[in-house]
Amino acid sequence: MISTDPLWQQRRFGGTQRQDDRRSPFQRDKGRVLHSAAFRRLQSKTQVLGVGMNDFYRTRLTHSIEAAQIGTGLNAQLRDKHPEVAPLLDDPLIEALCLAHDIGHPPFGHGGEVALNFMMREHGGFEGNGQTFRILTQLEPYTQDYGMDLTRRTLLGVLKYPVLHGRVASKGGHSLPANFRQLKASDWLPAKAVFDEDSDILDWVLAPLEAEQKALFQSISQHPGENGHRRARYRSLDCSIMELADDIAYSVHDLEDAIVLGILQPDLWQEEVVTELESRGPFDPPTLERLSRDLFCPQQYRRKEAIGTLVNGLVCAVTLKPQPGLSAPLLAQRAVLDDDYRVLLKVLKGFVLRNVVQKPEVQLLEFKGQQIVMELFEAFGSDPKRLLPRPTATLWQQHVAEGASGNRVIADYISGLTDDFAARLHGNLFGAGSGNLFELQSRL
């Protein structure tokens, strides 16, 4: 039977075990995520389509809940197919990871992420996964100094990129735009990493690993990608399950939203998906034809049946693949899909990306949010002690007094705003009307 080092269940602070609390450490971690303010704010953060456009489609909150449900389904399949690793697979742990995986994403989706990365370009950058790690370990006020104080293993599981920003970020750079309006988002995509100032916490999380295993686990790609950044090569078993659940939820459920809202049409589906899957996908022609017909059927139950078929097929196709050189139980293998279903997921992700995420109407909303975030950052940076909420201004002063950049505090604050609150705050700062400043202050 595979066993893991008890150190993985340790917490940095530890606190006290409440009387008669019979939950496992990972059940407690799930509870802390579920009851956090950072998690609740996901109800008003953009998933793909802007919050408030319609009350049907997913927000980041509902997406995260659906990913958690898919994650437990993946666990069930892996227990059945690989009983030798069953002792490692913990449902509350995977649920905690899926519920937490997006809490670091700022308002306005990837537009907000690019905006903050641009504003932080000389101060360590910004990236949503790195911010998730920061919220879990420092910012969420479950404890005074340790964030939610989650177990090592849960923190290992959220590390999609267990490397520091300075190791993977491009050393070059694009020329600065003349003003915010001219910022080209693709030039300022963030490096996927933990922020350099959080290196001590990253070292604590990885402390149970032997030096050789840690070095290999944190190795990076030899060549930079299209954006000039390098990438982490590995992630833990738990993280690979969470990421797969995230991809399935994103690809299939965002597809459903777009079909219901009339963004996607049958002829486009036929041209870009069906023709691609006919030659190399997991479905025979009659099944593919039925799925296509049901997805665009006006009868909702038939569409839900088709969505369920896609999700179930992807979940049931999960298996484990060794990670060469890594022998630690939590690192030795990662969850992947069988080849045919890997093709299906790739085709669905590409279809949603091209025809929903990159649709001009959606990009207009991202651009607007991007401008709001940059203008908020510029305003707060101009006079932090005057404009930031008092607790945040005090924290800014502490950082500056210690020789650190106060800009990270501003990024922390703005990234925690919901779409709606960021827009109203921007209106109060720059709009012609005065707004209800006292109501606004009560929420700061």
Side-chain angles (χ1 to χ4, degrees), residues 71-120:
T72 59
L74 293 169
N75 262 3
Q77 290 293 322
L78 290 173
R79 287 191 194 96
D80 182 64
K81 295 178 180 179
H82 302 275
E84 73 280 4
V85 302
L88 287 179
L89 304 175
D90 188 277
D91 285 350
L93 169 66
I94 293 300
E95 289 178 302
L97 300 181
C98 292
L99 293 172
H101 81 280
D102 264 352
I103 63 173
H105 280 268
F108 308 112
H110 291 292
E113 185 180 39
V114 167
L116 282 176
N117 185 53
F118 174 74
M119 300 305 290
M120 291 292 292

Side-chain angles (χ1 to χ4, degrees), residues 214-240:
K214 179 182 176 183
L216 179 58
F217 181 59
Q218 292 190 286
S219 59
I220 61 176
S221 60
Q222 185 176 359
H223 302 290
E226 292 182 6
N227 57 16
H229 305 310
R230 298 180 187 273
R231 292 286 292 261
R233 295 175 59 201
Y234 298 109
R235 59 212 57 184
S236 69
L237 169 63
D238 299 324
C239 185
S240 70

